[in-house]
Amino acid sequence: MPRFAANLTTLFTEMPMLDRFAAAAEAGFEGVEILFPYDIAAPELYRASVASGMEIVLINAPPPNWAGGPRGFAAVPGLEERFRRDFERSLRVAQVLRARHIHIMAGRAEGAEAQATFVANLAWATERAPHASLTIEPINRTEVQGYFLADYDLAIDIIDRIAAPNLGLQLDTYHAQAITGDMLACWRKVAPLVRHIQIAGSPGRHEPDHGDLDHPALFEALDDWGYRGWVSAEYAPARTTQGGLGWLARARVHATRPA
């Protein structure tokens, strides 16, 4: 069975962030991810993770701009210096949190210049932080209009072109279904490059047992492949987090059954 992590940005939101670590541990998760852990002092977050025995498996970069600016701009021409400055901040936070992965967000852009900018920024980041595991994630343009990285073939090409051992692919099942129409086929195609997975039901981005995606089949495919990374629950609960965790209980029961 995969190792499941809870996205604390989207789950257990009825309680303060620092209390969500213990709630996730009690619910049966083994790790957590936080999309933008920049509003609370990193040492406080790290202490909460240690107290609950929860590894922080992923954060996003760059820090968000809540004043209307871009929340990702690695592919935006003209913002290279800002990317480097904000990546440095994300790197410092990740080091304090002992975060396993940093997801670099491409932002809204298009065209050859945007692609060249993205490649150059990623190449710089992989050289700047060879000790860090960096990921890129295709995001469907229905959810984020104009997002540059919305194609898995393009993501594969960029990763291959940079050829850095610390750069890999992040697969979100909701986005994979929206982009390709076949989440499981997408996994089989990109599996060698995947180092982090996020799950959510489709349509609606609710619990992964809602909608038309066969997540139990994905979990079996991950086991067959030998995937050893994390699978993070990044969804909006249809009602309450606790009330929608039946999928996690069933996955754990299934994993304990004799083959």
Side-chain angles (χ1 to χ4, degrees):
M1 181 180 70
R3 293 182 297 168
F4 292 108
N7 185 306
L8 297 189
T9 303
T10 62
L11 301 184
F12 304 103
T13 56
E14 62 275 9
M15 60 187 69
M17 175 61 76
L18 294 178
D19 294 337
R20 298 176 196 176
F21 292 86
E26 184 176 352
F29 291 101
E30 299 178 64
V32 300
E33 66 177 24
I34 308 172
L35 297 185
F36 296 106
Y38 303 101
D39 295 332
I40 299 175
E44 292 185 38
L45 291 169
Y46 180 65
R47 285 193 291 271
S49 72
V50 171
S52 60
M54 303 293 274
E55 179 180 348
I56 299 175
V57 302
L58 180 135
I59 67 171
N60 281 355
N65 185 330
W66 299 114
R71 299 185 187 180
F73 42 82
V76 181
L79 295 182
E80 292 86 350
E81 287 303 317
R82 181 178 173 187
F83 170 78
R84 295 189 178 196
R85 182 178 66 250
D86 281 9
F87 179 78
E88 293 283 0
R89 182 186 177 197
S90 295
L91 191 60
R92 291 193 297 271
V93 170
Q95 289 172 332
V96 173
L97 299 180
R98 310 294 197 271
R100 181 175 294 264
H101 305 299
I102 301 174
H103 167 214
I104 296 179
M105 302 189 69
R108 293 180 169 92
E110 62 180 13
E113 187 180 3
Q115 182 168 332
T117 300
F118 195 38
V119 169
N121 280 332
L122 290 173
W124 174 85
T126 59
E127 293 178 6
R128 168 64 186 86
H131 58 286
S133 173
L134 309 179
T135 67
I136 58 175
E137 175 195 0
I139 294 175
N140 82 81
R141 289 179 180 150
T142 300
E143 297 293 315
V144 182
Q145 294 184 3
Y147 196 77
F148 172 74
L149 189 61
D151 181 271
Y152 283 91
D153 288 332
L154 177 59
I156 292 169
D157 178 68
I158 289 172
I159 292 171
D160 287 345
R161 186 183 311 181
I162 294 173
N166 58 331
L167 179 65
L169 187 66
Q170 183 170 318
L171 174 72
D172 182 298
T173 59
Y174 177 86
H175 290 302
Q177 181 69 16
I179 292 170
T180 71
D182 191 332
M183 175 267 292
L184 282 171
C186 181
W187 153 254
R188 289 191 289 269
K189 177 178 180 178
V190 302
L193 296 176
V194 173
R195 61 181 57 186
H196 186 69
I197 293 172
Q198 294 169 325
I199 58 174
S202 176
R205 201 171 184 100
H206 297 308
E207 285 80 355
D209 57 354
H210 289 190
D212 54 11
L213 298 188
D214 190 348
H215 282 98
L218 173 66
F219 302 153
E220 291 187 7
L222 298 181
D223 288 342
D224 292 342
W225 174 264
Y227 176 75
R228 294 293 179 264
W230 288 90
V231 174
S232 289
E234 188 199 18
Y235 60 83
R239 294 181 179 82
T240 66
T241 301
Q242 285 294 137
L245 289 176
W247 68 269
L248 179 60
R250 288 189 292 274
R252 297 175 70 185
V253 168
H254 180 79
T256 62
R257 292 175 181 170

